[in-house]
Amino acid sequence: MQTVPVGKTPLRSSRLVYGGWRIAGTQDATAVTADARKSGIAALQAAYEAGYTGFDLADVYCGGVCEEILGEALRQTPGMREGILLATKCGIRVPGVPAGAPYRYDFSARYITDSVDVALRRMGVSHIDLLMLHRPDFLMDPSEVAEAFGRLRSEGKVREFGVSNFRPGQVDLLQRYLGFPLAVHQVEISLRQLATLSDGTLDQCHALGISPMAWSPLGGSGPGSFSPGVLRVLAGIGERLGVTPELVALAWLIRHPSGILPVVGSTKPERIRAMARAAEIQLERDDWYRLLEAALGARLP
Ligand SMILES: NC(=O)c1ccc[n+]([C@@H]2O[C@H](COP(=O)([O-])OP(=O)(O)OC[C@H]3O[C@@H](n4cnc5c(N)ncnc54)[C@H](OP(=O)(O)O)[C@@H]3O)[C@@H](O)[C@H]2O)c1
């Protein structure tokens, strides 16, 4: 698969990133079976063999089990660690840890650096290529985040940094305190979630050279997530191009000039392989707008 630079950094990633949120088959860490772990490893290996080189995790995915599964896949697959961009996220703290604590976001330097140490141990790796802050901490002190990032970088634990689910103003604020450019901004974008097209997020990514990553690019449950109108247009374009509707939905994201990297979340090896072809489709302007209009469910003004 085609690889592209990630932001203004030396990192590169396949145009489609593989997302590991669902690889444990559940989000309940106490319910993960040995078979589910095996299926998760098979999904990661299918993605690697199909040419995905970007892998997206988070510390909270199944309470850390997804990072463990990724670590197991790396140990079982010769060359995989060196061949991929390994991304994970931190900053969300689950309720009850420690006892009585609420659900919260925490960008304190101590929490960020401790989270990285835990992630490195879980995955059995010496460094993370890309660390993202998962959801904006309203109490963020940008100078403290900058200090934590600087320390992680100088210790060789993390190469590059990004954010997820920020507002453009929050990206701007943090960026002002960093001595280097943020690499990525991971946000929800699909034919079901159009907000970033017009709220300044994608424009900001484009202007600053930050790579946008699209989470839930198929709306979170495959083509069935889309409205009947969108599905009709996807099917029509797909038939004309000889590809499936989901490939057209991914190509719609890739066509945006900001350089969106869709994060594919299927756990089925055959779907993971099939979706890798989306990077080869060049969607025409007219088809892109047909889909936008169908997604809006209204004529453009
Ligand atoms: N930063 C954030 O806050 C955030 C939030 C959510 C997700 N993410 C990242 O984004 C990644 C992708 O998110 P996502 O998993 O929601 O993406 P998605 O690709 O929109 O949805 C994947 C889901 O759709 C199903 N699916 C895919 N193709 C299908 C088809 N042809 N027919 C029926 N079902 C189909 C998959 O089922 P099968 O597994 O059965 O194929 C899976 O349940 C995650 O893994 C994670 O890395 C980030």
Side-chain angles (χ1 to χ4, degrees), residues 190-192 194 227 229-230 252 289-298:
S190 71
L191 285 161
R192 230 184 77 151
L194 304 170
S227 68
V230 168
W252 185 82
Y289 271 99
R290 275 189 190 99
L291 283 164
L292 178 66
E293 226 173 39
L296 290 168

Side-chain angles (χ1 to χ4, degrees), residues 239-268:
E239 208 173 297
R240 185 160 26 86
L241 300 180
V243 298
T244 57
E246 51 268 40
L247 289 195
V248 179
L250 295 172
W252 185 82
L253 295 170
I254 290 172
R255 177 67 176 79
H256 193 270
S258 61
I260 296 172
L261 310 178
V263 188
V264 167
S266 172
T267 54
K268 301 284 186 306

